[in-house]
Amino acid sequence: MRKFKKIIVAELLIVLAGLIFIGTTFVINAYAGCYLLGVFLLLYGISMVWKGGGD
């Protein structure tokens, strides 16, 4: 019975670790995506100003 409980705990820990890993990877990817979008918009804005405004 003790072995069975240990297996359940081990499986829960593995699942939890997997969720944390996937979650952090998703957060990092989302942050990187927002950062790249911000850089793109900044460069686009600068190029618009260089061309004499985008009116």
Side-chain angles (χ1 to χ4, degrees), residues 23-41:
T24 51
T25 302
F26 180 75
V27 168
I28 290 164
N29 285 342
Y31 179 75
C34 289
Y35 179 76
L36 289 172
L37 183 65
V39 169
F40 173 76
L41 289 173

